[in-house]
Amino acid sequence: MIEIKDLHKSYQTGATSLHVLKGINFNVKEGELVSIMGSSGSGKSTLLNILGMLDEADAGSYTLDNVPIKNLNEKIAAQYRNKFLGFIFQSFNLIGYKSALDNVGMPLYYQGMKRKERVERSMAYLEKVGLADWASHLPNELSGGQKQRVAIARALASDPKVLLADEPTGALDTKTSYEVMDLIQGINDEGKTILVVTHEEDIAHMTKRIVNLKDGVIIDDSFVNQVRAKANV
Amino acid sequence: MFSRDKWNEIIESLSSNWFRTILTAFGVFWGIFILVILLAAGKGLENGVKQGFGGMATNSMFMWAQTPSKPYKGLPKGRRYNFKIDDVTAIKDNVRGLKFVSPRNQLGGFGGSNNVIRGLKSGAFNVYGDYPEIIQQQPMDITSGRFLNYNDIDDKRKVAIIGEAVKTTMYDSGEEVLGTYLKINGVNFQVIGTYKKKGNGGGNAEEAQKEIYVPFTAFSQAFNQGDLVGWMAITADSQHSITALKSDVFDVIKKRHNIHPEDTRAIGNFDLFQEFNKINGLFIALKGIAYFVGILILLSGVIGISNIMLIVVKERTNEIGVRRALGATPWSIRGQILLEAIFLTLISGMTGIIAATGVLAIVNSFLDKSNASEMMFINPSVDLGVVIIALIILIISGLLAGFIPAQNAIKIKPVDALRTE
């Protein structure tokens, strides 16, 4: 599903150049649930941004579902993001003045889907994350866990190839974190490819494979025995 | 592009901060309000001044004989000459583009002695010998009876049309006027109509109602004028300006009366068209000033909108980043910001136009109640064209207001936008 070869990325900060990714090689097959770990500054967020086409690599190749991601203009990048990727953020990033239902419908809106169909689809995904009753509520009327579940529903709405989660439990307490992870595991069980960036060991062990990043290189990449979140709730 | 969703988005984002939206909108509201009021005030003044012409055919001139200032063909300078009735046909035959050439004669005048008698009553009035066309050059309302016609001219009928002021001086109130006789300089004329002059006529307002019109031919015969013509009122048709045809008319007269071709003093004239154009120029300048001031005020409103949109973009950096991560193309973001700006400008602008129209309606109802003919200010209004121009200005300014913020919005990289927390 995802193939990355010799990926480099550096940031220019004033006169000095910061080499963040120093040759990343890494493949993800369909249906995998991978966590990317590393301390802050290890380059994990940068890697995720490149995977999410929010940022571009300086060198190396990136293939997503057999489509080479290279020299995209903004319009095509936007279309690819919409079609291939679903994003889950640490700070949820819901749009404050839109109801939960409308937030979930956003990717569908940008696909140009008609309103009626969009509402139906969004409702179905809200139901899937167990928030059908909260459809008309604004984000600030929801708890953190609920917000993240709305965000997950939104990420799923366009039926993307890959879900990218950037510290999805970073702003949540342990119990809620596990609930969210349970949901993510459930989605993965249905066959969706998911990448989770995290720095929490327990969260990482709820995935099937842990990739450890340090100073811009992968120091460890191993499959683990998945801990089911449900058992810990 | 104009789907319901798009509108929802716009309404949602504008209504997320009502107070700010209204304050911003007020700038444009005020600009367009001032623009419309200024234009309408200019129009009102124009209407008022032009009404002073009383609907007179403005493409006209008046021409009279003076004394030649150069000797010519053995004739001395300083001699007296008069226009003759044959001059009228000569002018009509030789000059193309003239609509009316009316010869006129006059008795009495300002401060003249009493020349009209009826029974025990007498009065001093201006008595004009005229052709029927004069009513089209100096319009008047016939309040009873009729005006002169060509049967009166051909038969040299001794009939008269009298002004409202003549009627009140020479008749008791309620007395029947039509069919009675007035003795003008000892000759009896039958009254066949009464008139009321249009317009406020400036200083002549009262004098203009104290006139008596009789057929030119009857006048000449009754008062021993022979074939003399006192002066002429000449009107050009709509394809020509009288100012352009003037010299041709003078040439005909000069030739017929042996006047030196370069003698500029022999024929006196008053060119109404030229005077009218001067006033017209004044109003064009006034309109220019109104647009200038109005658009400048509008501009400050537009800058206000642009400013607010910049802040809105800044505030919504994160939201824009999310939208782009979810698949919003740069154009959809740009379109959103532009539409918001245009929408805000249009709504506030249209409110401004409506408010200005409302104020004008109130002003008009007050003006209507007061005696409008005494005013220099009548029916201030703007026509549909001005409103359409204002709307076009609004759309363009909305686009301008939204352009820079929209560019800013798409310059934000999604990754940077998401980093701000």
Side-chain angles (χ1 to χ4, degrees):
Chain A
M1 182 62 72
I2 293 174
E3 286 167 46
I4 282 178
K5 280 203 190 89
D6 202 26
L7 203 68
H8 286 264
K9 176 76 185 176
S10 40
Y11 286 112
Q12 214 71 34
T13 46
T16 58
S17 151
L18 190 65
H19 205 168
V20 186
L21 297 181
K22 301 165 182 168
I24 304 276
N25 290 292
F26 153 75
N27 292 320
V28 179
K29 291 195 193 65
E30 192 164 358
E32 276 196 274
L33 175 54
V34 184
S35 59
I36 300 168
M37 288 200 67
S39 53
S40 63
S42 59
K44 57 186 189 318
S45 284
T46 307
L47 178 60
L48 195 76
N49 285 336
I50 290 170
L51 290 175
M53 299 177 221
L54 297 172
D55 211 345
E56 241 179 305
D58 298 336
S61 72
Y62 170 24
T63 314
L64 177 64
D65 197 29
N66 297 322
V67 179
I69 307 299
K70 217 169 120 190
N71 300 328
L72 301 179
N73 68 29
E74 277 295 342
K75 194 180 166 195
I76 303 211
Q79 284 164 354
Y80 279 8
R81 282 197 289 266
N82 187 280
K83 205 162 72 176
F84 291 138
L85 301 169
F87 290 90
I88 301 164
F89 305 96
Q90 177 177 5
S91 48
F92 323 126
N93 280 333
L94 299 177
I95 292 172
Y97 55 83
K98 285 183 176 293
S99 69
L101 187 75
D102 285 343
N103 263 293
V104 175
M106 286 295 289
L108 304 175
Y109 169 68
Y110 286 118
Q111 277 177 4
M113 189 182 282
K114 288 267 179 298
R115 182 170 177 86
K116 199 170 160 232
E117 199 184 345
R118 207 167 70 219
V119 168
E120 266 168 34
R121 284 269 294 267
S122 316
M123 204 60 203
Y125 282 105
L126 267 184
E127 237 159 75
K128 193 183 172 77
V129 299
L131 287 175
D133 293 341
W134 300 82
S136 59
H137 286 243
L138 292 177
N140 59 15
E141 296 163 341
L142 303 174
S143 72
Q146 285 172 326
K147 280 186 207 170
Q148 195 59 297
R149 282 194 276 164
V150 172
I152 291 169
R154 179 176 68 183
L156 287 172
S158 59
D159 194 23
K161 304 277 182 202
V162 177
L163 282 192
L164 298 174
D166 189 3
E167 304 270 9
T169 59
L172 304 172
D173 60 44
T174 314
K175 185 171 174 289
T176 326
S177 297
Y178 290 171
E179 282 169 6
V180 167
M181 281 314 289
D182 179 44
L183 185 59
I184 289 177
Q185 284 175 341
I187 294 160
N188 176 245
D189 292 342
E190 288 166 21
K192 192 74 75 191
T193 316
I194 305 177
L195 264 75
V196 181
V197 167
T198 182
H199 63 272
E200 292 167 86
E201 281 288 339
D202 54 342
I203 299 296
H205 278 92
M206 288 175 184
T207 63
K208 296 172 177 168
R209 174 183 165 195
I210 301 179
V211 175
N212 241 310
L213 236 70
K214 192 175 184 186
D215 296 334
V217 288
I218 295 175
I219 52 168
D220 181 49
D221 183 349
S222 55
F223 290 89
V224 293
N225 286 323
Q226 190 181 26
V227 179
R228 297 304 296 196
K230 200 144 209 157
N232 291 303
V233 173
Chain B
M1 175 158 185
F2 289 102
S3 64
R4 195 178 131 199
D5 296 308
K6 204 131 211 166
W7 286 118
N8 278 347
E9 296 259 305
I10 290 169
I11 303 283
E12 270 173 353
S13 62
L14 286 180
S15 58
S16 60
N17 194 337
W18 269 118
F19 188 60
R20 188 172 68 192
T21 304
I22 287 169
L23 277 186
T24 312
F26 186 77
V28 167
F29 166 87
W30 193 236
I32 206 85
F33 181 83
I34 296 284
L35 176 65
V36 172
I37 292 283
L38 280 179
L39 286 174
K43 190 76 190 168
L45 200 61
E46 185 177 346
N47 286 344
V49 171
K50 282 190 179 164
Q51 188 186 271
F53 284 91
M56 211 181 276
T58 48
N59 198 7
S60 301
M61 70 157 175
F62 304 100
M63 178 175 85
W64 58 91
Q66 296 181 162
T67 51
S69 61
K70 285 181 177 161
Y72 188 59
K73 285 191 178 169
L75 293 164
K77 67 176 182 176
R79 69 191 164 92
R80 290 180 63 87
Y81 79 101
N82 282 303
F83 294 157
K84 296 284 165 60
I85 194 71
D86 294 340
D87 295 339
V88 175
T89 31
I91 290 170
K92 279 179 181 166
D93 291 346
N94 288 310
V95 184
R96 295 266 145 255
L98 293 179
K99 202 167 163 193
F100 305 119
V101 181
S102 304
R104 306 190 72 186
N105 272 321
Q106 184 185 3
L107 264 184
F110 286 101
S113 58
N114 288 352
N115 54 1
V116 179
I117 303 168
R118 175 174 175 262
L120 295 173
K121 291 182 166 141
S122 65
F125 303 109
N126 299 317
V127 182
Y128 294 104
D130 264 311
Y131 274 85
E133 286 91 359
I134 197 72
I135 197 166
Q136 278 160 290
Q137 292 169 288
Q138 294 186 336
M140 49 188 118
D141 290 326
I142 299 298
T143 47
S144 69
R146 63 168 177 87
F147 194 67
L148 301 172
N149 62 29
Y150 267 96
N151 287 335
D152 300 332
I153 297 287
D154 294 343
D155 298 348
K156 302 180 183 175
R157 289 179 187 160
K158 290 199 271 302
V159 291
I161 288 86
I162 63 172
E164 287 293 317
V166 179
K167 185 176 150 190
T168 48
T169 315
M170 303 303 290
Y171 294 85
D172 295 328
S173 67
E175 203 176 343
E176 179 57 47
V177 176
L178 299 183
T180 60
Y181 286 88
L182 288 177
K183 196 170 268 185
I184 303 170
N185 272 13
V187 181
N188 270 322
F189 283 79
Q190 189 175 27
V191 178
I192 55 163
T194 59
Y195 75 84
K196 192 166 191 250
K197 278 257 171 93
K198 292 171 187 168
N200 57 25
N204 291 335
E206 201 188 338
E207 200 72 18
Q209 312 299 347
K210 289 168 76 176
E211 289 166 354
I212 298 174
Y213 289 85
V214 302
F216 185 85
T217 47
F219 185 102
S220 301
Q221 198 173 51
F223 306 121
N224 295 325
Q225 298 294 316
D227 60 352
L228 297 182
V229 171
W231 80 100
M232 295 185 208
I234 302 177
T235 303
D237 63 24
S238 54
Q239 276 100 46
H240 301 83
S241 84
I242 192 68
T243 312
L245 295 177
K246 194 151 88 164
S247 59
D248 294 346
V249 175
F250 295 163
D251 286 346
V252 172
I253 295 289
K254 282 173 184 169
K255 212 168 171 186
R256 290 176 58 84
H257 291 277
N258 293 323
I259 297 166
H260 194 286
E262 275 152 35
D263 191 341
T264 51
R265 292 207 214 146
I267 304 163
N269 75 88
F270 177 79
D271 188 338
L272 194 58
F273 187 68
Q274 223 168 30
E275 299 303 312
F276 190 73
N277 273 356
K278 275 184 205 159
I279 294 172
N280 249 357
L282 177 74
F283 287 114
I284 288 168
L286 213 57
K287 203 179 246 180
I289 292 169
Y291 270 112
F292 183 72
V293 173
I295 286 176
L296 282 190
I297 297 176
L298 189 62
L299 190 67
S300 71
V302 167
I303 289 171
I305 287 198
S306 198
N307 214 344
I308 273 310
M309 292 308 290
L310 276 175
I311 295 173
V312 165
V313 165
K314 189 89 191 159
E315 270 183 1
R316 285 162 60 186
T317 300
N318 176 260
E319 180 197 324
I320 290 167
V322 174
R323 282 172 184 272
R324 294 188 69 179
L326 295 179
T329 56
W331 253 112
S332 72
I333 299 285
R334 191 190 279 140
Q336 170 92 16
I337 304 288
L338 279 180
L339 269 182
E340 271 183 43
I342 293 173
F343 182 73
L344 194 58
T345 326
L346 261 186
I347 288 291
S348 47
M350 270 148 82
T351 321
I353 291 174
I354 291 167
T357 321
V359 168
L360 290 178
I362 292 168
V363 169
N364 270 334
S365 74
F366 274 112
L367 282 182
D368 286 347
K369 272 181 213 153
S370 61
N371 189 356
S373 67
E374 302 289 312
M375 297 259 187
M376 282 292 274
F377 198 76
I378 293 160
N379 188 26
S381 60
V382 284
D383 47 26
L384 197 62
V386 170
V387 173
I388 289 169
I389 289 173
L391 281 180
I392 291 170
I393 292 174
L394 280 176
I395 292 175
I396 292 172
S397 38
L399 270 175
L400 287 177
F403 187 72
I404 295 170
Q407 281 316 102
N408 265 15
I410 60 161
K411 250 187 258 159
I412 302 169
K413 285 178 122 188
V415 56
D416 295 329
L418 292 172
R419 210 173 278 150
T420 21
E421 262 148 38

